[in-house]
Amino acid sequence: MTATTPLPEADDTEAADGSETGTTSRRRAAFHTLEVSEVRRLTAAAIEVTFAVPEDLMGEYDYLPGQYVALRKDLPDEEGNVSEVRRSYSICAEPKPGEIKVAIKRDLGGLFSSWANESLRAGDTMEVMSPSGAFISKHKMTALNDPASIDTTISHNFVAVAAGSGITPVMAIARTVLAANEHVHFDLIYANRAAMDVMFLEELADLKDRYPSRFALHHVLSREQRISPLLSGRLDAEKLTSLLGSVIRTNQIDEWFLCGPFELVQLVRDHLSEQEVSPEKVRYELFTTGRPNRPEGQIGRAVEADDSGENYDIEFRLDGLQGQVKSPLSARETILNAALRVRPDVPFACAGGVCGTCRAKLVTGTVEMEENYALEPEEIEAGYILTCQSHPTSDAVSVNYDA
């Protein structure tokens, strides 16, 4: 992708879709030290972590259902070398002042997730980023910070398709919209290997008991036989077509929420596209891209500008301050990597083009963006880029993280 300039400044009072929000989905991220108030075991390989938010920081941790936070911790690797590790986790509960809840599932070989599942305890402290993310409903009814504006007279039909830990943001969204409007109907297709792997099993059952006529839960287990063949085995294209043809009426859905690995999310998106569902109705978030390369290659690279050679001139605005850095043409360095060499507080989390934390607005110059799983089409049209995936293609580039 190539973006061009110049572009107008962004209006901070509007969301990406142009609608006003009580809590912006794209505010600048900042880390604060929070205390762990509770660690609850969800499954053998997953925990729910509750962070206590002090009163003076409540405004910083106000959020909309579906958003995420990044956690930052210094941890030793297999060789004992200590370095900073950042991981993003979706908030799994509806907004409640004074706390943030996330679910952390152990990944095979995952440094942070393994440490958290084995060692994290109540009373520990951790650096927690203020909430961010655009995996939120575009319907006004979820703006809990402006309850007077919620329209509770209109019927809405929502569907979520999640797999594994992809349930975490969906839990927050489902709990919120069902409680906010008695005319909401919510279908959830939730894929796991076995019943023992299902996160929030009791909470999902509670939602079903609380809203028996408005919440439909479809567990699909790939390694366990269920009564219905439709809910047994891998959630493939054939099974998805049946579920979204006979069980769920695709043309009657107001909004879709897809969260999980790249393969599943893309499968559902392709199906909805074939059914001519408007992209405006589909919200999605990836937990993995399926790409074999490591996102760490986009950050922390030791690059030195050559004053006698050819360099890109990169300028960026962050927290009202201008920063400048030179990047060698031969290095093919991302804007994020270059900016971090002179400002270690430049925001980022996944560095894989998934979370959108490193989002900035291109002010001058042109870039090539390798991957994008986080920005909406209207954001790209407005000139926003993911700096972890963007390489300069003009002699000089200027971006604004504050926009």
Side-chain angles (χ1 to χ4, degrees):
M1 181 201 110
T2 300
T4 59
T5 62
L7 295 165
E9 291 297 317
D11 184 348
D12 293 335
T13 65
E14 294 187 348
D17 63 351
S19 61
E20 295 182 358
T21 59
T23 300
T24 177
S25 64
R26 290 299 194 184
R27 64 181 161 199
R28 254 277 287 126
F31 281 93
H32 301 279
T33 301
L34 300 184
E35 181 176 328
V36 176
S37 59
E38 182 182 5
V39 177
R40 183 169 70 96
R41 178 63 57 183
L42 297 175
T43 69
I47 56 175
E48 180 188 69
V49 182
T50 303
F51 293 98
V53 179
E55 186 173 353
D56 62 328
L57 289 177
M58 284 186 183
E60 294 292 321
Y61 288 91
D62 197 8
Y63 65 93
L64 292 173
Q67 293 191 298
Y68 68 90
V69 294
L71 308 181
R72 184 168 68 183
K73 186 73 174 179
D74 290 337
L75 294 174
D77 59 19
E78 294 180 355
E79 286 75 35
N81 300 314
V82 177
S83 61
E84 179 189 283
V85 179
R86 298 188 187 194
R87 294 293 183 269
S88 298
Y89 293 99
S90 295
I91 303 170
C92 57
E94 63 274 34
K96 181 179 178 181
E99 67 177 32
I100 292 282
K101 291 178 181 283
V102 300
I104 302 176
K105 184 177 181 180
R106 184 201 299 263
D107 295 322
L108 183 63
L111 177 62
F112 187 94
S113 63
S114 296
W115 168 82
N117 271 264
E118 295 169 3
S119 305
L120 193 58
R121 299 289 184 270
D124 292 346
T125 60
M126 191 180 302
E127 294 291 304
V128 182
M129 188 186 74
S130 51
S132 186
F135 186 63
I136 57 177
S137 175
K138 289 191 175 182
H139 289 74
K140 192 68 173 180
M141 56 175 292
T142 60
L144 296 189
N145 300 302
D146 186 15
S149 70
I150 299 175
D151 188 347
T152 59
T153 63
I154 300 176
S155 177
H156 292 287
N157 297 307
F158 295 152
V159 173
V161 182
S165 55
I167 189 63
T168 51
V170 171
M171 282 297 301
I173 294 169
R175 284 167 163 169
T176 302
V177 298
L178 287 166
N181 187 348
E182 63 180 9
H183 299 293
V184 159
H185 293 80
F186 200 107
D187 277 80
L188 169 60
I189 300 173
Y190 187 21
N192 284 280
R193 289 177 297 180
M196 64 181 295
D197 299 316
V198 177
M199 299 170 63
F200 299 106
L201 183 61
E202 294 182 4
E203 288 81 356
L204 289 168
D206 179 66
L207 278 181
K208 181 61 181 173
D209 291 341
R210 192 183 309 173
Y211 309 106
S213 62
R214 298 198 288 120
F215 180 63
L217 177 59
H218 313 281
H219 282 295
V220 181
L221 302 179
S222 62
R223 298 185 183 179
E224 283 188 16
Q225 190 67 34
R226 306 207 67 204
I227 296 176
S228 170
L230 190 59
L231 302 178
S232 303
R234 183 179 175 85
L235 186 57
D236 54 18
E238 181 179 358
K239 197 175 268 76
L240 184 67
T241 300
S242 297
L243 281 169
L244 300 184
S246 58
V247 180
I248 298 171
R249 302 298 182 186
T250 304
N251 61 352
Q252 298 176 2
I253 306 306
D254 296 296
E255 200 164 24
W256 299 79
F257 300 95
L258 319 176
C259 191
F262 174 83
E263 292 80 5
L264 175 64
V265 170
Q266 194 59 46
L267 175 68
V268 181
R269 291 180 68 200
D270 288 344
H271 176 85
L272 296 180
S273 178
E274 292 172 0
Q275 298 302 310
E276 299 184 345
V277 173
S278 170
E280 290 296 311
K281 293 185 176 182
V282 182
R283 324 295 294 156
Y284 72 94
E285 185 167 82
L286 301 177
F287 276 13
T288 61
T289 65
R291 289 171 58 87
N293 57 304
R294 296 175 59 84
E296 287 82 352
Q298 309 292 353
I299 57 172
R301 286 177 55 198
V303 175
E304 293 185 5
D306 183 2
D307 292 336
S308 62
E310 293 185 290
N311 297 285
Y312 293 114
D313 291 315
I314 298 174
E315 183 174 295
F316 59 94
R317 184 176 182 85
L318 176 63
D319 293 335
L321 300 175
Q322 292 294 123
Q324 297 87 26
V325 61
K326 291 183 179 294
S327 178
L329 269 66
S330 58
R332 190 161 173 77
E333 184 180 25
T334 64
I335 292 176
L336 174 63
N337 192 85
L340 284 169
R341 292 195 279 110
V342 294
R343 282 282 301 267
D345 60 333
V346 173
F348 76 91
C350 76
V354 174
C355 72
T357 305
C358 68
R359 168 186 181 268
K361 190 164 189 176
L362 187 63
V363 179
T364 59
T366 59
V367 302
E368 177 187 2
M369 190 162 64
E370 289 187 0
E371 299 289 350
N372 169 40
Y373 302 103
L375 298 180
E376 299 289 338
E378 55 266 31
E379 292 179 285
I380 296 176
E381 186 177 350
Y384 289 96
I385 62 172
L386 299 176
T387 56
C388 77
Q389 297 294 311
S390 297
H391 306 270
T393 56
S394 59
D395 292 341
V397 170
S398 175
V399 300
N400 187 355
Y401 284 99
D402 297 338

